[in-house]
Each structure stands twice: as structure tokens, then as C-alpha cells.
Amino acid sequence: MSKELQRDFDVLSELERGRFGTVYKCASRSNADHIFAVKSIDKLVVGAGDFLDALCLSNEAKIVQLLNPHPNIVTLHKVYEDENHLHLLFELCDDADFHSRLAQGTSAIPESDASRIMRQLMQAVSHCHRLGVAHRDIKPENILFTGQHGGRLKLADFGSAEIFKEGELIRGVVGTPYYVAPEVVAGREYNEKVDVWSSGVILYMMLSGNPPFDGETEVEIFEAVLRGNLRFPRQYFQSVSREAKDLLRRMICKDVCRRFSAEEVLSHPWFSIFADKTT
């Protein structure tokens, strides 16, 4: 770690280890009650890898600074850099990430809870798109929460994000099986609506406890995504409202022209059903 970072913070524990670096929990030396998460990116590892990976990771700090402040996007407080590492000091989201929440139970999340979570996620996505940023890797692991027991949602990890201009298409195969949009899998150019598809997949999983497109291998999952045959099995969707299913059809839509934008998602009647519970 950089000497400047070590001067200002005590590293308490390791939170997560990834392909290009590690996330640590750290405390301010001036006030031990001020706890943060620092994402340490190994520039040597990044530089030895794919050029696109290196470019995306080098842009992450710039992109998050562009998006801050927003109540549903993780806050970047400071950037430290030395010869070998880039250290991004983020707010600490100390509740379990969304992936853990989905994995904890075998049943679906109640619609009222799903509505509250999805509203916050789409507010973050809409903010990104208004400022010309496509996240490109929306998945449960990148949805964090502050506080305990359903605190405020924070969209995180902009390492795959891309800045775009209005009407401009994006290139690059990035994303995660289950959540990636079919136009990305097909290797075509695409726009920011890939984030709406991924968010729709998350909503489907919240309401049913299952992914909309599944397979035994990544290849089978990608083939199912490309087919895009959206179904609502009765055993999982019997008690799900028709408004929720209508929204899913408009988010998980192969035809990009017909797929909702993030703003259109937020205006869908489904959210008004639970308006008093999602504020």
C-alpha cells in the first residue's frame, strides 16, 4: 500500500479478493470510528492482462467521481496512487451484499421488498445513463447495502463501465452469465439498455428465486440468453402480480428498440402499488 494511505488509515481486514486487486476494510487514524473500504488495484497485474481490462480499471475512479454524489451509488472519497497500485477509498457498505441475500433463502423475495430494491437500483441506473455511463456488469454481487436489515442500496464496481455519447453504440463483450444481454453475447454493438436487461434478470430472480435463462454450463446459459424465451412458470409466479410480469417483459426484451429505458422502468405502474413502502 502507498505510504500516504498507510499514514492516513489502519487496515483492519480483507473483505474481498479479485482478479486485479483486493478490497480491505480500513479505519481513519484521526478518527477510528470512520470506517471505509479501500479497493487496491495492482497495476502490474492489470498491465500484464487484456488491454480492455486495463482501460476499464483505469477509468473506474474517473467514472465514479463523475457519478458522485448519488444516494444509490457507492461514494468514492479519495484516490491514492503509487508506482504499483491504485487505491480507491470508498464508503463502507457493511450490510451483506445482494448476492448473499439471494443465496440465503430458497424462496422468492416479497414483491414489496423487490419493489423497494428495484426502485433504488433503477434510480442509480437512470442517473448513470443521464450522465452517459453504462455500468455493463449489473449483478447481485455489485449491489451493496449500507446499514443493517435492508438499508440503502448502493450500486458498486464500475470497473467494466463505459462512457458513451447520446446515440452512440458501445463495443466490447463484458458482463456475467445469467445477467448479460443477448446483444452483448452475440458480439454486436449495443447501448446503455444492456443495464436494463441485467436489472430485469435480477428482478425476475427476486420474484421467483430462479434465473430466467439457465443451463449446466456457461455455453448453455449464453444459448438460453440468445434465445430470450421468457417464461413465467406457474409454480414460481402464481402469486406474482400481472403488473410485475408486464414490467419483466418490457425489461427482458430482446428487441432493444422496444426494451424500456431506465426512466421508463421507474414510471411503470408496478412501483405505484408499493409506493408507500418504497420511499
Side-chain angles (χ1 to χ4, degrees), residues 96-167:
D97 65 30
F98 189 48
H99 183 265
S100 298
R101 291 188 180 195
L102 284 181
Q104 282 172 359
T106 57
S107 60
I109 294 173
E111 273 195 58
S112 58
D113 292 343
S115 179
R116 176 181 58 82
I117 292 169
M118 187 55 50
R119 181 188 291 275
Q120 293 182 77
L121 175 58
M122 296 314 300
Q123 286 170 340
V125 172
S126 177
H127 177 72
C128 291
H129 293 178
R130 281 197 303 271
L131 294 179
V133 174
H135 187 282
R136 300 201 300 172
D137 195 21
I138 292 179
K139 58 184 177 181
E141 293 92 331
N142 292 336
I143 299 174
L144 309 177
F145 293 87
T146 60
Q148 297 294 322
H149 308 299
R152 186 182 297 276
L153 178 148
K154 297 281 185 173
L155 181 59
D157 198 341
F158 288 80
S160 296
E162 177 76 11
I163 295 175
F164 65 90
K165 296 179 181 177
E166 187 174 356

Side-chain angles (χ1 to χ4, degrees), residues 3 74 139 179 209 219 235:
K3 292 181 180 179
V74 66
K139 58 184 177 181
Y179 310 101
V219 171
Q235 66 266 37

